[in-house]
Amino acid sequence: MLNKLGEGTFGEVHKARSHVTGQLVALKRILMHEEREGIPITALREVKLLKKLKHPNVVPLVDMVVTKGAQTRMDYWSTKDSKGDIYMVFPYMDHDLAGLLENKSVRLSPGQIKLYMQQLLEGTDYLHRNNILHRDMKAANLLISNAGVLQIADFGLARPGHSKLAWDGIDIRKTRYTNCVVTRWYRPPELLLGETNYGFAIDMWGVGCVMGEMWLRRPMFCGSSDLNQLEKIWSLCGTPTEDNMPGWGLLPGCEGVKNWPRQERTVRQNFELSMLLLDPNRRITAAQALDHEWFWNDPMPADPKTYVD
Amino acid sequence: MAPSADTPVETNGASSSKKPLTLYETSTQYKHWRFSASQLEERRRRMNETAVNAIRQVHKAEEEGSSSRISFLTFDEELLLVKQYLTTIPKMCKLHQFPEEVEATAMTFLKRFYLKNTVMDWHPRNVMLTAIYLATKTTNNPMAIDTYVANIPRTTANDVLELEFLVAQSLNFQLAVWGPHRAAWGVWLDLQTLQDWGKEEARDAFAAVEGYVSASRLTDAEFIYAPSQIAAAAWHLANPALLEKWLAAKGESGALPLIKSIASLIEKEGKTPDLAVARDVDARLKICKNPEKVEGSKAYLRRQAEHEQEAAAKRQKKAERAAKALADDPFATEPINGVEQNGSKIGEVDMDDDD
């Protein structure tokens, strides 16, 4: 165990060195304090999902470590106050994108931004094709190695999306999820307005925010409250209308606060803003974004092989 | 048992390496939880022997007299008891109105657990309750622990949660389970694309298929065969002619002998064990279970004292190390967190809360 790296949705992350392979790893501890319901369902979801996923731009779960307190046969011991801990083991990555962007001495060329965006979209497309909503897309959850590889991390809020087949008689149109997901600054307008039947487009809003953040070197919309967050979004994307966000007025969050002063979209349509469309149904998908000509214009995405940190 | 059951059925290796993997082949179930019938038997036999030897040692250390008079469970008696508790899972799930996915997953969890552990260490009643609770969470059908135990006699929340780590770890945290019920549903849908498929006949058969799928969960079929093969066997038991027609339409008639052998396994093994026999085994288990696992017993207390001694020694060592670090660095005011600690290795990292 070397040092603490940070804190995630439900656990601390520590840097450590494997005594077996000698490699640096990140240990994510599943917090069990005051966990009335046993191992948190979010942790089980994350483990189950990660074991299924295998993609260069999705962080791989290398192993699970259980400390003394819960070993198998004969070694097993558990006293009431020390229950042992569960750690997820990931390869150690040098940076996260939020840290890189805060660091004034790091310059990102347009080619590098394209390289990262391409990898972010490849990873996101892979998740969505496998029917997984990440639900916490943000710069701090994107890990970057010194070799220029980007990996999507932190599946603590992720869950399967709508199944294509109606299974066990569940009507998919009635599926409801909690809308208390996604860090506020990266939360799309439909969630802020209380939508509970959302889809993959919520991740794409986050991807759009991350892209803007790479250009601006600061988060795009730093709302101080949910309402303030919406106002920040309206000031860039315009206030919602039946035209740019059909059905918005029916969302539960709109009650009592429908009268925003009319604002027009202040920016022209371009690649990143097709991810920041108010209407989730018109927002670009990861697969469409990867086909966008932006990736085929100069400057081309940087080659990770020539990448020097 | 059919000879084909002695080797894993799916072809793998060179011949199929060029084909893209099926979704099932990328699963942890395919990679880590497939065995031949003889491998399963060998594994259970060895685990039973190890457990009996270990428990004999404990008795010896306790000088509670010779353990030679104790009649330990054999590996097939252990299996019988596990099976008895497997049959309880559907009842428990019905009681709590959990969907079939929870039932199927919990049964797989319980069976997998006893490929790594013996009933003489961990009683299947408790493991069963934990397996169901864990399955509710991994299949996204969560229920508050208090609500769950409220319906179960003589059981506290702690009884269920205490074993959760152990169960999850015995499963290697491989929590995704592929059962034959989905595959059986798939065959049902696919049948409807056949010409002259006979709606009434197929509908009647499907009701029976669900029963055979449930029966298959009491057997080792899922460790030996793919979910789709078990599903086909369930259809064959329900309506052989219909399934054979479907196989022919798919160009898979060659699979029929295998499917028939799975079907006979389900018929032979997919039955609730004789309750009287199971009771007798359970009664003997009370005498032969590992005394170290019996709260309050001499062996339990000795083990606890040992454990505390170990922990104290560890704390002492840690304090010495910290003191040494302090002595080496006159400017340090507290032990430096970044110092790499010796002697701990990954897999059993020393991360006690006591520092």
Side-chain angles (χ1 to χ4, degrees):
Chain A
M1 196 81 113
L2 299 176
N3 54 307
K4 186 169 166 175
L5 297 170
E7 220 157 296
T9 318
F10 59 83
E12 299 165 353
V13 184
H14 291 268
K15 182 176 177 179
R17 187 181 294 280
S18 163
H19 284 258
V20 181
T21 64
Q23 283 179 339
L24 286 175
V25 293
L27 296 177
K28 180 170 171 177
R29 177 189 196 171
I30 298 173
L31 285 181
M32 295 291 293
H33 308 301
E34 297 165 47
E35 203 43 78
R36 290 259 316 111
E37 312 289 320
I39 305 174
I41 185 168
T42 47
L44 291 169
R45 259 186 208 158
E46 180 167 15
V47 172
K48 191 177 164 192
L49 278 179
L50 283 170
K51 291 237 180 203
K52 279 186 191 169
L53 301 177
K54 191 174 189 294
H55 188 272
N57 301 120
V58 174
V59 71
L61 179 62
V62 183
D63 204 354
M64 298 293 293
V65 172
V66 178
T67 55
K68 269 239 173 84
Q71 300 285 327
T72 46
R73 252 195 78 71
M74 302 319 282
D75 291 329
Y76 178 85
W77 197 260
S78 137
T79 50
K80 293 280 180 289
D81 45 66
S82 91
K83 273 210 156 173
D85 282 300
I86 307 180
Y87 289 78
M88 296 183 213
V89 186
F90 299 103
Y92 178 75
M93 295 282 276
D94 307 279
H95 314 281
D96 70 70
L97 186 60
L100 275 188
L101 294 177
E102 274 166 25
N103 187 337
K104 297 276 185 298
S105 65
V106 176
R107 287 193 58 238
L108 281 185
S109 69
Q112 281 171 328
I113 292 181
K114 277 193 193 180
L115 170 67
Y116 291 146
M117 279 308 293
Q118 202 167 32
Q119 298 183 69
L120 172 55
L121 286 164
E122 293 276 5
T124 307
D125 182 42
Y126 172 78
L127 296 178
H128 290 178
R129 275 188 290 114
N130 284 287
N131 201 34
I132 289 161
L133 286 163
H134 184 275
R135 304 203 298 182
D136 200 12
M137 222 26 114
K138 58 175 172 179
N141 283 340
L142 302 175
L143 305 180
I144 292 178
S145 77
N146 282 339
V149 175
L150 176 147
Q151 288 182 336
I152 302 172
D154 200 340
F155 286 71
L157 290 173
R159 62 162 294 156
H162 298 309
S163 172
K164 296 278 179 293
L165 275 173
W167 180 251
D168 280 344
I170 296 165
D171 184 345
I172 59 168
R173 284 160 303 176
K174 287 190 194 138
T175 311
R176 291 283 177 272
Y177 304 138
T178 170
N179 54 16
C180 298
V181 290
V182 190
T183 311
R184 184 191 297 129
W185 293 350
Y186 301 84
R187 208 179 291 162
E190 67 269 27
L191 285 185
L192 290 161
L193 290 172
E195 176 67 270
T196 53
N197 184 12
Y198 49 79
F200 299 123
I202 66 157
D203 286 342
M204 290 309 293
W205 180 273
V207 171
C209 290
V210 167
M211 182 169 179
E213 192 169 338
M214 282 199 272
W215 295 117
L216 298 172
R217 301 301 290 249
R218 57 169 174 77
M220 288 197 75
F221 310 108
C222 306
S224 54
S225 66
D226 285 3
L227 201 58
N228 181 245
Q229 184 70 25
L230 281 169
E231 285 159 2
K232 296 238 151 112
I233 293 172
W234 305 152
S235 71
L236 181 74
C237 304
T239 41
T241 63
E242 264 313 301
D243 183 43
N244 65 17
M245 196 176 178
W248 73 278
L250 299 172
L251 291 172
C254 290
E255 281 166 38
V257 285
K258 275 186 199 169
N259 299 318
W260 282 290
R262 180 117 183 83
Q263 271 180 302
E264 290 300 324
R265 200 176 171 87
T266 55
V267 278
R268 286 216 331 269
Q269 196 57 39
N270 65 21
F271 176 56
E272 73 192 80
L273 291 162
S274 49
M275 300 176 205
L276 297 177
L277 285 175
L278 295 184
D279 180 3
N281 294 318
R282 262 182 280 174
R283 213 171 287 152
I284 197 168
T285 68
Q288 288 165 348
L290 282 166
D291 270 343
H292 197 279
E293 58 180 16
W294 186 72
F295 286 111
W296 306 97
N297 289 340
D298 271 340
M300 292 293 278
D303 182 354
K305 288 194 200 77
T306 63
Y307 185 97
V308 182
D309 191 37
Chain B
M1 184 90 27
S4 58
D6 282 340
T7 47
V9 235
E10 291 81 359
T11 53
N12 48 13
S15 60
S16 62
S17 64
K18 279 178 198 150
K19 271 198 299 181
L21 293 175
T22 61
L23 202 52
Y24 171 62
E25 285 169 320
T26 65
S27 68
T28 53
Q29 177 167 331
Y30 181 86
K31 283 184 259 187
H32 304 289
W33 297 99
R34 285 186 316 136
F35 308 89
S36 68
S38 55
Q39 281 172 335
L40 286 172
E41 185 176 320
E42 175 60 22
R43 194 184 181 97
R44 288 175 176 138
R45 188 192 300 277
R46 246 192 343 215
M47 217 164 46
N48 177 272
E49 273 169 21
T50 317
V52 169
N53 288 336
I55 297 169
R56 280 193 204 282
Q57 289 302 316
V58 176
H59 280 291
K60 223 172 172 179
E62 289 312 305
E63 295 170 36
E64 280 172 357
S66 161
S67 58
S68 58
R69 276 175 295 125
I70 300 178
S71 127
F72 287 100
L73 301 190
T74 62
F75 78 93
D76 39 357
E77 285 170 333
E78 287 198 46
L79 191 57
L80 181 120
L81 200 59
V82 172
K83 202 164 166 181
Q84 176 60 40
Y85 282 95
L86 275 176
T87 64
T88 320
I89 292 180
K91 291 173 202 154
M92 293 284 303
C93 289
K94 206 166 195 174
L95 178 74
H96 290 96
Q97 296 181 312
F98 292 140
E100 186 178 16
E101 209 186 352
V102 173
E103 177 183 320
T105 305
M107 289 175 86
T108 300
F109 282 177
L110 189 67
K111 284 194 270 180
R112 288 183 183 179
F113 180 86
Y114 285 109
L115 286 182
K116 296 259 180 95
N117 301 278
T118 151
V119 300
M120 288 182 277
D121 278 348
W122 310 108
H123 198 284
R125 177 188 185 269
N126 305 339
V127 178
M128 169 200 73
L129 295 176
T130 304
I132 297 174
Y133 190 64
L134 191 62
T136 63
K137 290 197 271 187
T138 67
T139 59
N140 273 325
N141 294 288
M143 173 179 263
I145 185 71
D146 293 331
T147 317
Y148 176 64
V149 295
N151 297 319
I152 308 169
R154 301 182 309 281
T155 305
T156 65
N158 195 48
D159 293 337
V160 175
L161 298 180
E162 206 170 42
L163 293 178
E164 205 181 23
F165 266 33
L166 178 77
V167 173
Q169 196 188 18
S170 296
L171 301 171
N172 281 339
F173 291 89
Q174 286 146 4
L175 306 170
V177 171
W178 299 58
H181 58 296
R182 283 198 167 212
W185 171 251
V187 174
W188 162 239
L189 294 179
D190 207 57
L191 268 175
Q192 299 173 30
T193 66
L194 294 185
Q195 300 264 317
D196 64 334
W197 56 286
K199 191 172 182 178
E200 296 299 318
E201 188 193 12
R203 191 192 291 143
D204 292 345
F206 186 56
V209 166
E210 292 181 309
Y212 289 115
V213 164
S214 300
S216 79
R217 296 195 184 114
L218 300 175
T219 73
D220 279 337
E222 66 175 291
F223 293 131
I224 308 170
Y225 306 101
S228 54
Q229 294 170 324
I230 301 168
W235 273 96
H236 193 267
L237 286 164
N239 189 330
L242 194 59
L243 193 268
E244 279 165 36
K245 188 154 77 178
W246 179 74
L247 279 181
K250 297 273 135 187
E252 295 280 356
S253 293
L256 196 57
L258 175 73
I259 289 169
K260 279 183 178 164
S261 70
I262 304 173
S264 63
L265 171 71
I266 296 174
E267 277 196 308
K268 190 162 148 262
E269 306 285 339
K271 283 184 293 219
T272 309
D274 186 338
L275 190 60
V277 180
R279 280 214 178 112
D280 175 55
V281 173
D282 208 357
R284 277 170 52 217
L285 178 58
K286 284 201 178 67
I287 299 156
C288 70
K289 69 184 164 190
N290 188 348
E292 289 195 336
K293 302 290 193 286
V294 183
E295 216 161 320
S297 78
K298 262 198 234 168
Y300 180 94
L301 295 172
R302 181 177 55 82
R303 182 83 180 159
Q304 192 168 34
E306 264 175 29
H307 180 75
E308 260 154 30
Q309 239 166 28
E310 269 170 39
K314 214 175 193 179
R315 273 196 296 272
Q316 168 93 21
K317 226 166 128 190
K318 228 180 234 178
E320 278 167 13
R321 248 191 337 251
K324 189 169 176 293
L326 212 59
D328 289 350
D329 179 2
F331 299 108
T333 51
E334 55 182 326
I336 302 151
N337 204 15
V339 177
E340 203 172 336
Q341 295 176 343
N342 305 317
S344 57
K345 67 175 194 218
I346 203 108
E348 47 178 66
V349 192
D350 175 20
M351 286 172 283
D352 285 356
D353 281 334
D354 57 13
D355 57 351

